Coordinates of all heavy atoms in Angstrom, one line a residue:
M44 N -17.9 -6.3 19.4 CA -17.8 -5.5 18.2 C -18.3 -6.5 17.1 O -18.0 -7.5 17.0 CB -16.4 -5.1 17.9 CG -16.2 -4.5 16.6 SD -14.4 -4.1 16.2 CE -14.1 -2.6 17.4
K45 N -19.2 -5.8 16.2 CA -19.6 -6.5 15.1 C -18.6 -6.8 14.0 O -17.8 -5.9 13.9 CB -20.9 -6.0 14.6 CG -22.1 -6.0 15.6 CD -23.3 -5.5 14.9 CE -24.4 -5.5 15.9 NZ -25.7 -5.0 15.3
L46 N -18.8 -7.9 13.2 CA -17.8 -8.1 12.1 C -17.6 -6.9 11.2 O -16.4 -6.6 10.9 CB -18.2 -9.4 11.3 CG -17.2 -9.8 10.3 CD1 -15.8 -10.0 10.8 CD2 -17.7 -11.0 9.5
G47 N -18.7 -6.3 10.7 CA -18.5 -5.2 9.9 C -17.7 -4.0 10.5 O -16.9 -3.3 9.8
E48 N -18.0 -3.8 11.8 CA -17.3 -2.7 12.4 C -15.9 -3.0 12.6 O -14.9 -2.2 12.4 CB -17.9 -2.6 13.9 CG -19.2 -2.0 13.9 CD -19.9 -1.9 15.3 OE1 -19.4 -2.7 16.2 OE2 -21.0 -1.4 15.5
A49 N -15.5 -4.4 12.8 CA -14.1 -4.8 13.1 C -13.4 -4.7 11.7 O -12.2 -4.2 11.6 CB -14.0 -6.2 13.6
A50 N -14.1 -5.0 10.6 CA -13.5 -4.9 9.3 C -13.2 -3.5 8.9 O -12.2 -3.2 8.3 CB -14.5 -5.6 8.2
Q51 N -14.2 -2.6 9.2 CA -13.9 -1.2 8.9 C -12.8 -0.6 9.7 O -11.9 0.2 9.0 CB -15.2 -0.4 9.2 CG -15.1 1.1 8.9 CD -14.9 1.4 7.5 OE1 -15.4 0.8 6.6 NE2 -14.2 2.5 7.2
Q52 N -12.7 -1.0 10.9 CA -11.6 -0.6 11.8 C -10.3 -0.9 11.3 O -9.3 -0.2 11.2 CB -11.7 -1.0 13.2 CG -10.7 -0.5 14.2 CD -11.0 -0.8 15.6 OE1 -12.0 -1.4 16.0 NE2 -9.9 -0.5 16.4
A53 N -10.2 -2.3 10.9 CA -9.1 -2.8 10.4 C -8.6 -2.1 9.1 O -7.4 -1.8 8.8 CB -9.3 -4.3 10.0
H54 N -9.5 -2.0 8.1 CA -9.2 -1.2 6.9 C -8.7 0.1 7.1 O -7.7 0.5 6.5 CB -10.4 -1.3 6.0 CG -10.2 -0.7 4.6 ND1 -9.4 -1.4 3.8 CD2 -10.4 0.5 4.1 CE1 -9.3 -0.8 2.6 NE2 -9.9 0.4 2.8
E55 N -9.4 0.9 8.1 CA -8.9 2.2 8.4 C -7.4 2.2 9.0 O -6.6 3.1 8.6 CB -9.8 2.9 9.4 CG -11.1 3.2 8.8 CD -12.1 3.8 9.7 OE1 -11.8 4.0 10.8 OE2 -13.3 4.0 9.3
L56 N -7.1 1.2 9.8 CA -5.8 1.2 10.4 C -4.7 0.8 9.2 O -3.7 1.5 9.3 CB -5.7 0.1 11.4 CG -6.3 0.2 12.7 CD1 -6.3 -1.0 13.6 CD2 -5.5 1.4 13.5
I57 N -5.1 -0.1 8.5 CA -4.1 -0.4 7.3 C -3.9 0.7 6.3 O -2.7 1.0 6.0 CB -4.7 -1.4 6.5 CG1 -4.8 -2.8 7.3 CG2 -3.9 -1.8 5.2 CD1 -5.7 -3.9 6.8
T58 N -4.9 1.5 6.0 CA -4.9 2.6 5.0 C -4.4 3.8 5.6 O -4.1 4.8 4.8 CB -6.1 2.7 4.2 OG1 -7.2 3.0 5.1 CG2 -6.4 1.4 3.5
T59 N -4.3 4.0 6.9 CA -4.1 5.4 7.5 C -2.9 5.2 8.4 O -1.7 5.3 8.1 CB -5.2 6.0 8.1 OG1 -5.8 5.2 9.1 CG2 -6.3 6.3 7.1
D60 N -3.2 5.0 9.7 CA -2.2 5.0 10.8 C -0.9 4.1 10.5 O 0.1 4.5 10.6 CB -2.8 4.5 12.1 CG -3.8 5.6 12.6 OD1 -3.8 6.7 12.1 OD2 -4.6 5.3 13.5
R61 N -1.3 2.9 10.2 CA -0.2 1.9 10.1 C 0.5 2.2 8.8 O 1.8 2.0 8.7 CB -0.7 0.5 10.2 CG -1.2 0.2 11.6 CD -1.2 -1.1 12.0 NE -1.7 -1.2 13.4 CZ -2.5 -2.1 13.8 NH1 -3.1 -3.0 13.0 NH2 -2.9 -2.0 15.0
Q62 N -0.1 2.6 7.7 CA 0.5 2.9 6.5 C 1.5 4.1 6.6 O 2.5 4.0 6.2 CB -0.5 3.0 5.3 CG 0.2 3.3 4.0 CD -0.8 2.9 2.8 OE1 -1.5 2.0 2.9 NE2 -0.8 3.9 1.9
D63 N 1.0 5.1 7.4 CA 1.8 6.3 7.7 C 3.0 5.9 8.5 O 4.1 6.5 8.3 CB 1.0 7.4 8.3 CG -0.1 7.9 7.6 OD1 -0.1 7.7 6.3 OD2 -1.1 8.5 8.1
T64 N 2.9 5.0 9.4 CA 4.0 4.6 10.2 C 4.9 3.6 9.6 O 6.2 3.8 9.8 CB 3.4 4.0 11.6 OG1 2.4 4.9 12.3 CG2 4.6 3.6 12.5
Y65 N 4.5 2.7 8.9 CA 5.3 1.5 8.4 C 5.4 1.6 6.8 O 6.2 0.6 6.4 CB 4.7 0.2 8.9 CG 4.6 0.1 10.4 CD1 3.4 0.0 11.0 CD2 5.7 0.2 11.2 CE1 3.2 -0.2 12.3 CE2 5.6 0.1 12.6 CZ 4.3 -0.1 13.1 OH 4.2 -0.1 14.6
A66 N 4.8 2.3 6.0 CA 4.8 2.3 4.7 C 3.6 1.5 4.3 O 2.9 0.8 4.9 CB 6.0 1.9 4.0
S67 N 3.4 1.4 2.9 CA 2.2 0.7 2.3 C 2.5 -0.9 2.7 O 3.8 -1.3 2.8 CB 2.2 0.9 0.8 OG 3.3 0.4 0.2
P68 N 1.4 -1.7 2.6 CA 1.6 -3.0 3.0 C 2.6 -3.8 2.0 O 3.4 -4.7 2.5 CB 0.2 -3.6 2.9 CG -0.7 -2.5 3.2 CD 0.0 -1.3 2.7
D69 N 2.6 -3.5 0.7 CA 3.4 -4.2 -0.2 C 4.9 -3.9 0.2 O 5.8 -4.7 0.1 CB 3.2 -3.9 -1.6 CG 3.1 -2.4 -2.0 OD1 2.8 -1.6 -1.1 OD2 3.6 -2.1 -3.1
V70 N 5.2 -2.7 0.5 CA 6.5 -2.2 0.9 C 7.0 -2.8 2.2 O 8.0 -3.5 2.3 CB 6.8 -0.7 0.9 CG1 8.0 -0.3 1.5 CG2 6.6 -0.1 -0.5
N71 N 6.1 -2.7 3.2 CA 6.4 -3.2 4.5 C 6.5 -4.7 4.6 O 7.5 -5.2 5.1 CB 5.4 -2.7 5.6 CG 5.7 -3.1 7.0 OD1 6.8 -3.0 7.4 ND2 4.7 -3.5 7.7
F72 N 5.6 -5.4 3.9 CA 5.7 -6.9 3.9 C 6.9 -7.4 3.1 O 7.3 -8.4 3.3 CB 4.4 -7.4 3.6 CG 3.4 -7.4 4.7 CD1 3.1 -6.2 5.3 CD2 2.7 -8.6 5.2 CE1 2.1 -6.1 6.3 CE2 1.9 -8.5 6.3 CZ 1.6 -7.3 6.9
G73 N 7.3 -6.6 2.1 CA 8.5 -6.9 1.3 C 9.6 -6.9 2.1 O 10.6 -7.8 2.1
R74 N 9.7 -5.8 3.0 CA 10.9 -5.7 4.0 C 10.9 -6.9 5.0 O 12.0 -7.5 5.2 CB 10.8 -4.4 4.7 CG 11.0 -3.2 4.0 CD 11.0 -1.9 4.9 NE 11.0 -0.8 4.1 CZ 10.2 0.3 4.3 NH1 9.4 0.3 5.2 NH2 10.3 1.4 3.5
I75 N 9.7 -7.3 5.4 CA 9.6 -8.4 6.3 C 10.1 -9.7 5.7 O 10.8 -10.5 6.2 CB 8.2 -8.5 7.0 CG1 7.8 -7.3 7.8 CG2 8.1 -9.8 7.7 CD1 6.4 -7.2 8.1
S76 N 9.7 -9.7 4.4 CA 9.9 -10.9 3.6 C 11.6 -11.1 3.4 O 12.1 -12.2 3.6 CB 9.3 -10.9 2.2 OG 9.8 -12.0 1.5
D77 N 12.1 -9.9 3.2 CA 13.6 -9.9 3.0 C 14.3 -10.2 4.3 O 15.3 -11.1 4.3 CB 14.2 -8.5 2.6 CG 13.7 -8.2 1.1 OD1 13.3 -9.1 0.4 OD2 13.7 -6.9 0.8
L78 N 13.8 -9.7 5.4 CA 14.4 -10.1 6.8 C 14.1 -11.4 7.1 O 15.0 -12.2 7.6 CB 13.8 -9.1 7.8 CG 14.3 -7.8 7.8 CD1 13.4 -6.9 8.7 CD2 15.7 -7.6 8.2
F79 N 13.0 -12.0 6.9 CA 12.8 -13.4 7.1 C 13.7 -14.4 6.3 O 14.2 -15.3 6.8 CB 11.3 -13.8 6.7 CG 10.9 -15.2 7.2 CD1 10.6 -15.3 8.5 CD2 10.9 -16.1 6.3 CE1 10.2 -16.7 8.9 CE2 10.4 -17.5 6.6 CZ 10.1 -17.7 8.0
F80 N 14.0 -14.0 5.1 CA 14.9 -14.7 4.3 C 16.3 -14.7 4.9 O 17.0 -15.6 4.9 CB 15.0 -14.3 2.8 CG 15.9 -14.9 2.0 CD1 15.6 -16.2 1.4 CD2 17.2 -14.3 1.6 CE1 16.6 -17.0 0.8 CE2 18.1 -15.1 0.9 CZ 17.8 -16.4 0.4
D81 N 16.7 -13.4 5.3 CA 18.1 -13.3 5.9 C 18.3 -14.1 7.1 O 19.3 -14.6 7.4 CB 18.3 -11.9 6.2 CG 18.4 -10.9 5.0 OD1 18.7 -11.5 3.9 OD2 18.3 -9.7 5.2
L82 N 17.2 -14.3 7.9 CA 17.2 -15.0 9.1 C 17.0 -16.6 9.0 O 17.6 -17.4 9.7 CB 16.1 -14.5 10.2 CG 16.3 -13.1 10.6 CD1 14.9 -12.6 11.3 CD2 17.4 -13.1 11.6
S83 N 16.2 -17.0 7.9 CA 15.9 -18.4 7.8 C 16.4 -19.0 6.6 O 16.4 -20.2 6.4 CB 14.4 -18.5 7.9 OG 13.8 -18.0 6.7
G84 N 16.7 -18.4 5.6 CA 17.1 -18.8 4.2 C 15.8 -19.2 3.4 O 16.0 -19.8 2.4
I85 N 14.7 -18.9 4.0 CA 13.3 -19.3 3.3 C 12.8 -18.1 2.7 O 12.7 -17.1 3.3 CB 12.4 -19.9 4.3 CG1 12.9 -21.1 5.0 CG2 11.1 -20.2 3.7 CD1 12.1 -21.8 6.1
S86 N 12.6 -18.3 1.4 CA 11.9 -17.1 0.5 C 10.4 -17.1 0.6 O 9.8 -18.2 0.2 CB 12.4 -17.2 -0.8 OG 11.9 -16.0 -1.6
L87 N 9.9 -16.1 1.1 CA 8.3 -15.9 1.3 C 7.9 -14.8 0.5 O 8.6 -13.7 0.6 CB 7.9 -16.0 2.5 CG 8.0 -17.3 3.4 CD1 7.5 -17.0 4.8 CD2 7.4 -18.4 2.8
K88 N 6.9 -14.8 -0.2 CA 6.3 -13.6 -0.8 C 5.6 -12.7 0.2 O 5.3 -13.2 1.3 CB 5.3 -13.9 -1.9 CG 5.8 -14.7 -3.0 CD 4.7 -15.1 -4.0 CE 5.4 -16.0 -5.2 NZ 4.2 -16.3 -6.1
P89 N 5.5 -11.5 -0.1 CA 4.8 -10.5 1.0 C 3.5 -11.1 1.3 O 3.1 -10.9 2.5 CB 4.7 -9.2 0.2 CG 6.1 -9.2 -0.6 CD 6.1 -10.6 -1.0
K90 N 2.7 -11.6 0.3 CA 1.3 -12.1 0.8 C 1.5 -13.2 1.8 O 0.5 -13.4 2.6 CB 0.5 -12.5 -0.5 CG 1.0 -13.7 -1.3 CD 0.2 -13.9 -2.5 CE 0.7 -15.3 -3.2 NZ 0.0 -15.6 -4.4
E91 N 2.5 -14.1 1.6 CA 2.7 -15.2 2.6 C 3.0 -14.6 4.0 O 2.7 -15.2 5.0 CB 3.8 -16.2 2.0 CG 3.3 -16.8 0.8 CD 4.4 -17.7 0.1 OE1 5.6 -17.2 -0.1 OE2 4.1 -18.8 -0.3
I92 N 3.7 -13.6 4.0 CA 4.1 -12.9 5.4 C 2.7 -12.4 6.0 O 2.6 -12.7 7.1 CB 5.0 -11.6 5.1 CG1 6.3 -12.1 4.5 CG2 5.1 -10.9 6.4 CD1 7.1 -13.0 5.5
A93 N 1.8 -12.0 5.1 CA 0.5 -11.6 5.7 C -0.2 -12.9 6.4 O -0.9 -12.7 7.5 CB -0.3 -11.1 4.6
L94 N -0.1 -14.0 5.8 CA -0.7 -15.2 6.4 C 0.1 -15.5 7.6 O -0.6 -16.1 8.6 CB -0.7 -16.3 5.3 CG -1.6 -16.1 4.0 CD1 -1.4 -17.3 3.2 CD2 -3.0 -15.8 4.5
L95 N 1.4 -15.4 7.6 CA 2.1 -15.7 9.0 C 1.7 -14.7 10.1 O 1.5 -15.1 11.2 CB 3.6 -15.5 8.7 CG 4.3 -16.6 7.9 CD1 5.8 -16.4 7.6 CD2 4.2 -18.0 8.7
M96 N 1.5 -13.4 9.6 CA 1.1 -12.5 10.7 C -0.3 -12.8 11.2 O -0.7 -12.7 12.3 CB 1.0 -11.1 10.1 CG 2.5 -10.6 9.6 SD 3.7 -10.5 11.0 CE 3.2 -9.1 12.0
L97 N -1.2 -13.4 10.3 CA -2.6 -13.8 10.6 C -2.4 -14.8 11.7 O -3.1 -14.9 12.7 CB -3.3 -14.2 9.4 CG -4.6 -14.9 9.6 CD1 -5.6 -14.1 10.3 CD2 -5.2 -15.4 8.3
A98 N -1.5 -15.9 11.3 CA -1.3 -16.9 12.3 C -0.9 -16.5 13.7 O -1.3 -17.1 14.8 CB -0.3 -17.9 11.7
V99 N -0.1 -15.5 13.7 CA 0.4 -14.9 15.0 C -0.9 -14.5 15.7 O -1.0 -14.6 16.9 CB 1.5 -13.8 14.8 CG1 1.6 -13.0 16.1 CG2 2.7 -14.4 14.3
K100 N -1.7 -13.6 15.1 CA -2.8 -13.1 15.8 C -3.8 -14.2 16.2 O -4.4 -14.2 17.4 CB -3.5 -12.2 14.9 CG -2.8 -10.8 14.8 CD -2.7 -10.1 16.2 CE -2.0 -8.9 16.2 NZ -2.0 -8.2 17.4
L101 N -4.0 -15.3 15.4 CA -4.8 -16.4 15.8 C -4.3 -17.2 16.9 O -5.1 -17.6 17.8 CB -5.1 -17.2 14.5 CG -5.9 -16.7 13.4 CD1 -5.9 -17.7 12.3 CD2 -7.2 -16.3 13.9
A102 N -3.0 -17.3 17.0 CA -2.3 -18.1 18.2 C -2.5 -17.2 19.4 O -2.9 -17.8 20.4 CB -0.8 -18.2 17.9
R103 N -2.3 -15.8 19.3 CA -2.5 -15.1 20.5 C -4.0 -15.2 21.0 O -4.3 -15.3 22.2 CB -2.1 -13.7 20.2 CG -0.7 -13.4 20.0 CD -0.3 -11.9 19.7 NE 1.0 -11.8 19.6 CZ 1.7 -10.7 19.2 NH1 0.9 -9.6 18.9 NH2 3.0 -10.5 19.2
N104 N -4.8 -15.1 20.1 CA -6.3 -15.2 20.3 C -6.7 -16.5 21.0 O -7.5 -16.7 21.8 CB -7.2 -14.8 19.2 CG -8.5 -14.2 19.7 OD1 -8.6 -13.3 20.2 ND2 -9.5 -15.1 19.3
R105 N -6.0 -17.6 20.5 CA -6.2 -19.0 21.1 C -6.0 -18.9 22.5 O -6.6 -19.6 23.3 CB -5.5 -20.1 20.3 CG -5.7 -21.4 20.9 CD -5.0 -22.4 20.0 NE -5.8 -22.6 18.8 CZ -5.4 -23.6 18.0 NH1 -4.3 -24.3 18.1 NH2 -6.1 -23.7 16.8
H106 N -4.9 -18.2 22.9 CA -4.4 -18.2 24.4 C -5.5 -17.3 25.1 O -6.0 -17.8 26.2 CB -3.2 -17.5 24.4 CG -2.7 -17.2 25.9 ND1 -2.4 -18.2 26.8 CD2 -2.6 -16.0 26.6 CE1 -2.1 -17.7 27.9 NE2 -2.3 -16.4 27.8
K107 N -5.8 -16.2 24.5 CA -6.9 -15.4 25.3 C -7.5 -14.4 24.2 O -6.9 -13.7 23.6 CB -6.2 -14.5 26.3 CG -7.2 -13.6 27.2 CD -6.4 -12.9 28.3 CE -7.4 -12.0 29.0 NZ -6.8 -11.3 30.1
Y108 N -8.9 -14.4 24.3 CA -9.5 -13.5 23.3 C -9.2 -12.1 23.7 O -9.3 -11.6 24.9 CB -11.1 -13.7 23.5 CG -11.9 -12.6 22.6 CD1 -12.0 -12.8 21.4 CD2 -12.3 -11.5 23.3 CE1 -12.7 -11.9 20.5 CE2 -13.1 -10.6 22.5 CZ -13.2 -10.8 21.2 OH -13.9 -9.9 20.5
K109 N -9.0 -11.3 22.5 CA -8.8 -9.9 22.7 C -9.3 -9.3 21.3 O -8.8 -9.7 20.3 CB -7.2 -9.6 22.9 CG -6.9 -8.2 23.2 CD -5.4 -8.1 23.5 CE -5.1 -6.5 23.6 NZ -3.6 -6.4 23.8
E110 N -10.1 -8.3 21.5 CA -10.7 -7.7 20.3 C -9.7 -7.2 19.3 O -9.8 -7.3 18.1 CB -11.5 -6.4 20.8 CG -12.6 -6.0 19.7 CD -13.5 -5.0 20.3 OE1 -13.1 -3.8 20.2 OE2 -14.6 -5.4 20.7
D111 N -8.5 -6.7 19.8 CA -7.5 -6.2 19.0 C -7.0 -7.3 18.0 O -6.6 -7.0 16.9 CB -6.4 -5.7 19.8 CG -5.1 -5.2 19.0 OD1 -5.3 -4.2 18.3 OD2 -4.1 -5.9 19.1
N112 N -6.9 -8.7 18.5 CA -6.4 -9.7 17.7 C -7.5 -9.9 16.5 O -6.8 -10.2 15.4 CB -6.4 -10.9 18.6 CG -5.3 -11.0 19.6 OD1 -4.3 -10.3 19.5 ND2 -5.5 -11.7 20.7
I113 N -8.6 -9.8 16.8 CA -9.6 -10.0 15.7 C -9.5 -8.9 14.7 O -9.5 -9.2 13.5 CB -11.0 -10.0 16.3 CG1 -11.1 -11.1 17.3 CG2 -12.1 -10.2 15.1 CD1 -10.8 -12.5 16.9
V114 N -9.4 -7.6 15.1 CA -9.2 -6.4 14.2 C -7.9 -6.7 13.3 O -8.0 -6.5 12.1 CB -9.3 -5.1 15.0 CG1 -8.9 -4.0 14.0 CG2 -10.6 -4.9 15.6
D115 N -6.9 -7.0 13.9 CA -5.7 -7.2 13.3 C -5.7 -8.4 12.3 O -5.1 -8.4 11.2 CB -4.4 -7.3 14.2 CG -4.1 -6.0 14.8 OD1 -4.5 -4.9 14.4 OD2 -3.2 -6.1 15.9
A116 N -6.3 -9.5 12.7 CA -6.5 -10.7 11.9 C -7.3 -10.2 10.6 O -6.7 -10.7 9.5 CB -7.2 -11.8 12.6
I117 N -8.3 -9.5 10.7 CA -9.1 -9.1 9.7 C -8.1 -8.2 8.7 O -8.2 -8.3 7.5 CB -10.3 -8.3 10.1 CG1 -11.3 -9.3 10.7 CG2 -11.0 -7.6 8.8 CD1 -12.5 -8.7 11.4
G118 N -7.4 -7.4 9.5 CA -6.5 -6.5 8.6 C -5.4 -7.3 7.9 O -5.2 -7.0 6.7
Y119 N -4.9 -8.3 8.4 CA -4.0 -9.2 7.6 C -4.6 -9.9 6.5 O -4.1 -10.0 5.4 CB -3.2 -10.2 8.6 CG -2.3 -9.4 9.5 CD1 -2.3 -9.7 11.0 CD2 -1.4 -8.4 9.1 CE1 -1.6 -9.1 11.8 CE2 -0.5 -7.8 9.9 CZ -0.6 -8.1 11.3 OH 0.2 -7.5 12.1
L120 N -5.9 -10.3 6.6 CA -6.6 -10.9 5.5 C -6.9 -9.9 4.5 O -6.7 -10.2 3.3 CB -8.0 -11.5 6.0 CG -7.7 -12.8 6.8 CD1 -9.1 -13.1 7.3 CD2 -7.3 -13.9 5.9
D121 N -7.2 -8.7 4.8 CA -7.3 -7.5 3.9 C -6.0 -7.3 3.1 O -6.0 -7.2 1.9 CB -7.8 -6.3 4.5 CG -8.2 -5.2 3.7 OD1 -8.1 -5.3 2.4 OD2 -8.8 -4.1 4.3
I122 N -4.9 -7.3 3.8 CA -3.6 -7.2 3.1 C -3.4 -8.3 2.2 O -2.9 -8.1 1.1 CB -2.5 -6.9 4.2 CG1 -2.6 -5.6 4.9 CG2 -1.1 -7.1 3.6 CD1 -1.7 -5.5 6.2
Y123 N -3.6 -9.5 2.8 CA -3.3 -10.7 1.8 C -4.1 -10.6 0.6 O -3.6 -10.7 -0.6 CB -3.7 -11.9 2.5 CG -3.7 -13.2 1.7 CD1 -2.5 -13.8 1.4 CD2 -4.8 -13.6 1.1 CE1 -2.4 -14.9 0.5 CE2 -4.7 -14.8 0.2 CZ -3.6 -15.3 0.0 OH -3.5 -16.4 -0.8
N124 N -5.4 -10.3 0.7 CA -6.4 -10.2 -0.4 C -5.8 -9.1 -1.4 O -5.8 -9.2 -2.7 CB -7.7 -9.8 0.0 CG -8.8 -9.7 -1.0 OD1 -8.9 -10.7 -1.9 ND2 -9.5 -8.6 -1.3
T125 N -5.4 -7.9 -0.8 CA -4.8 -6.8 -1.8 C -3.6 -7.3 -2.5 O -3.5 -7.2 -3.7 CB -4.6 -5.5 -1.0 OG1 -5.7 -5.2 -0.3 CG2 -4.0 -4.4 -1.7
L126 N -2.7 -7.9 -1.8 CA -1.4 -8.3 -2.3 C -1.7 -9.5 -3.4 O -1.1 -9.5 -4.5 CB -0.5 -8.8 -1.3 CG 0.0 -7.9 -0.3 CD1 1.0 -8.4 0.8 CD2 0.8 -6.7 -1.1
E127 N -2.7 -10.4 -3.1 CA -3.0 -11.5 -4.0 C -3.7 -10.8 -5.3 O -3.3 -11.3 -6.4 CB -4.0 -12.4 -3.3 CG -4.4 -13.5 -4.3 CD -3.4 -14.6 -4.6 OE1 -2.5 -14.9 -3.7 OE2 -3.5 -15.1 -5.7
S128 N -4.5 -9.9 -5.1 CA -5.2 -9.3 -6.3 C -4.2 -8.5 -7.2 O -4.5 -8.4 -8.4 CB -6.3 -8.3 -5.8 OG -7.3 -9.1 -5.1
N129 N -3.1 -7.9 -6.6 CA -2.2 -7.1 -7.4 C -1.2 -8.1 -8.1 O -0.4 -7.6 -8.8 CB -1.5 -6.2 -6.4 CG -2.3 -5.1 -6.0 OD1 -3.3 -4.8 -6.5 ND2 -2.0 -4.4 -4.8
E130 N -1.2 -9.3 -7.9 CA -0.1 -10.2 -8.7 C -0.6 -10.4 -10.1 O -1.7 -10.4 -10.5 CB 0.0 -11.6 -7.9 CG 0.8 -11.5 -6.7 CD 1.3 -12.9 -6.2 OE1 0.8 -13.9 -6.6 OE2 2.1 -12.9 -5.4

């Protein structure tokens, strides 16, 4: 899959299927941030959660390449960019 195709697929997932399932990224990553704080006592902004999720996908891909990891990684960068732009 070419980068442009992966980026388009990632953007579609974020703005349709996953948003319908989990809420908008700012709401969903806010929830994750709250839960992370409850578990660790460490306060992270939703955009920082996007970077942690990116790290998960990169770690999985380091173990074994999977196209889904790349699409999701691009999606998390898209979410990070959106959340950063909205601050």
Side-chain angles (χ1 to χ4, degrees):
M44 175 181 292
K45 293 184 179 181
L46 181 59
E48 295 168 348
Q51 181 63 33
Q52 184 179 352
H54 187 73
E55 288 174 10
L56 285 171
I57 294 165
T58 58
T59 58
D60 291 347
R61 296 206 178 131
Q62 186 160 312
D63 292 342
T64 302
Y65 304 117
S67 64
D69 58 325
V70 170
N71 185 40
F72 282 57
R74 289 180 189 139
I75 296 169
S76 178
D77 292 343
L78 288 167
F79 189 79
F80 179 78
D81 291 344
L82 293 168
S83 69
I85 299 169
S86 179
L87 296 176
K88 295 178 180 180
K90 68 179 184 180
E91 294 170 316
I92 297 296
L94 294 177
L95 285 176
M96 299 298 287
L97 170 63
V99 168
K100 286 299 179 171
L101 293 175
R103 288 179 179 176
N104 203 66
R105 182 177 281 182
H106 173 70
K107 182 177 180 180
Y108 172 81
K109 189 174 172 189
E110 194 171 90
D111 177 70
N112 290 331
I113 303 305
V114 171
D115 285 349
I117 293 168
Y119 291 129
L120 284 172
D121 191 354
I122 291 169
Y123 173 83
N124 185 55
T125 299
L126 295 174
E127 178 70 32
S128 297
N129 290 339
E130 281 195 349

